[in-house]
Amino acid sequence: MRWGMGWAVLAVFAGSLICVLFFLHGLRSRETGNKTSIRLGIFLYRGDDTFISNVRLALEEQAKAYEQKTGIKVVLNIEDAKENQITQNSQVERLISLGYDALCVNAVDRSMAAGMIEQARAADVPVVFFNREPVEEDMRLWEKVYYVGVDARESAVLQGEIVLNAYRRDPLSIDLNGDGKVSYVLLEGESSHQDSLIRTEWSVQTLKDGRVPLEKLTGGIANWERSQASALTQQWLEEFPGEIELIISNNDDMALGAADAIERMGIMEKINIVGIDGTPQGVQGLEKGKLLGTVQSDQSEYAHAIFTIAAALACGEDPGEKLELVDEKYYWSGQKPLVRE
């Protein structure tokens, strides 16, 4: 009887030991990044934004390529906040509660990033912000917070140089009526978006620094949207008939909206339009002669950086070993000017 009880105790002990070993193996696997699958939450401020939609598609392609290369299954859960920060907060909270490995956040309101960061930190879920940069103090709240974007000042300077170079080659190609000044209007993105503020300032400043004689007729906020920009441009064309020579737009969608208004009103006079982003739609508009130029950010590189950082974090790896980061937190995607031939 005693021998039977001894074997029973030994069996229980052995079973417990095996369970502990399996647990330690699983813990060690998580710590070393030895995973067979990762789950990433992708949070969009607005899914129908053209630039963001293109980045989303590129992220999906990155996930497929990663699976083929590594054999690690990738689950992407893409959430659209429809421009509502409260909705986005709830979406972030839900995926954190479901144990997702990393979050990629295109914040509705960049000034409200701290709350999402605190939620993620409490659950030890890394966060990669993109396109809408949190303020620096929020980025410093936790070491597992990163940002991927483009240098907004570089975008604006390159945009300004498109117009500046055209003016230097042939002043009358920009100063259409030859009166010694370039009369322009300005289409701005959201007033709270850091890129909009910087693009607005530096595109114009680049032209001033290049001594292009400017006359601002008016400007307005079209919130990155093609339809809003079209309505504003039509209003300005009616208000300043025959006076507008240049339309500076903070992004391609608004630039195309301006072109829509010109076409809709049947205006045959040439009006130069410049955008930023180099979306497929913007490039098509450039090829059709609707735009003078745009500044293209490499959306494949952009998405590659977002995904690479998130996947590395999800696997317990150091993103700094995968990509060259600035201040160990920031990745700036490359840009180039595209000009109508």
Side-chain angles (χ1 to χ4, degrees), residues 15-45:
S16 299
L17 180 61
I18 290 171
C19 289
V20 169
L21 289 174
F22 269 111
F23 172 77
L24 292 175
H25 174 74
L27 182 61
R28 186 162 56 251
S29 294
R30 286 193 294 272
E31 289 174 346
T32 59
N34 184 22
K35 290 198 170 193
T36 59
S37 67
I38 57 175
R39 295 191 297 167
L40 306 179
I42 312 294
F43 303 90
L44 311 179
Y45 95 99

Side-chain angles (χ1 to χ4, degrees), residues 158-159 162-163 166 169 174 226 246-247 251-260 263 270-297 336-341:
L158 290 172
Q159 183 187 52
I162 290 172
V163 179
R169 285 192 302 269
I174 303 298
R226 186 167 180 163
L246 173 65
I247 299 176
N251 79 338
D252 284 350
D253 262 15
M254 294 189 297
L256 292 170
D260 292 342
E263 185 176 343
K270 174 185 172 185
I271 298 177
N272 290 301
I273 308 172
V274 285
I276 291 177
D277 281 341
T279 61
Q281 295 84 347
V283 173
Q284 187 179 50
L286 186 68
E287 292 170 347
K288 290 183 177 180
K290 295 181 178 182
L291 307 185
L292 170 65
T294 183
V295 178
Q296 185 176 56
S297 60
K336 64 181 180 181
L338 300 178
V339 182
R340 182 178 65 215
E341 294 183 2

Side-chain angles (χ1 to χ4, degrees), residues 140-322:
R140 300 296 172 189
L141 286 173
W142 189 30
E143 67 273 12
K144 294 183 181 180
V145 177
Y146 296 81
Y147 178 73
V148 175
V150 296
D151 184 327
R153 177 171 172 174
E154 180 187 35
S155 304
V157 169
L158 290 172
Q159 183 187 52
E161 287 177 349
I162 290 172
V163 179
L164 175 60
N165 291 335
Y167 182 82
R168 285 176 173 170
R169 285 192 302 269
D170 177 11
L172 291 178
S173 70
I174 303 298
D175 176 14
L176 303 177
N177 61 12
D179 66 352
K181 61 180 183 292
V182 177
S183 301
Y184 76 97
V185 296
L186 188 59
L187 287 165
E188 302 177 50
E190 293 169 83
S191 59
S192 61
H193 196 298
Q194 80 281 359
D195 284 6
S196 177
L197 302 173
I198 296 170
R199 289 175 184 183
T200 295
E201 176 183 359
W202 283 99
S203 58
V204 173
Q205 189 60 50
T206 299
L207 292 172
K208 289 180 177 178
D209 291 344
R211 300 193 177 183
V212 176
L214 295 175
E215 177 191 43
K216 182 177 180 180
L217 297 176
T218 189
I221 295 171
N223 294 303
W224 310 115
E225 292 190 18
R226 186 167 180 163
S227 59
Q228 290 190 33
S230 180
L232 267 181
T233 302
Q234 179 169 338
Q235 175 184 323
W236 296 338
L237 290 168
E238 292 170 348
E239 185 177 352
F240 303 100
E243 295 183 53
I244 299 173
E245 298 170 307
L246 173 65
I247 299 176
I248 301 173
S249 173
N250 284 170
N251 79 338
D252 284 350
D253 262 15
M254 294 189 297
L256 292 170
D260 292 342
I262 292 170
E263 185 176 343
R264 184 172 60 250
M265 295 180 68
I267 294 175
M268 302 303 294
E269 294 86 354
K270 174 185 172 185
I271 298 177
N272 290 301
I273 308 172
V274 285
I276 291 177
D277 281 341
T279 61
Q281 295 84 347
V283 173
Q284 187 179 50
L286 186 68
E287 292 170 347
K288 290 183 177 180
K290 295 181 178 182
L291 307 185
L292 170 65
T294 183
V295 178
Q296 185 176 56
S297 60
D298 187 332
Q299 286 159 51
S300 294
E301 178 192 352
Y302 202 103
H304 174 73
I306 297 168
F307 185 86
T308 299
I309 295 171
L313 293 166
C315 292
E317 299 168 349
D318 179 5
E321 295 179 358
K322 309 285 184 180

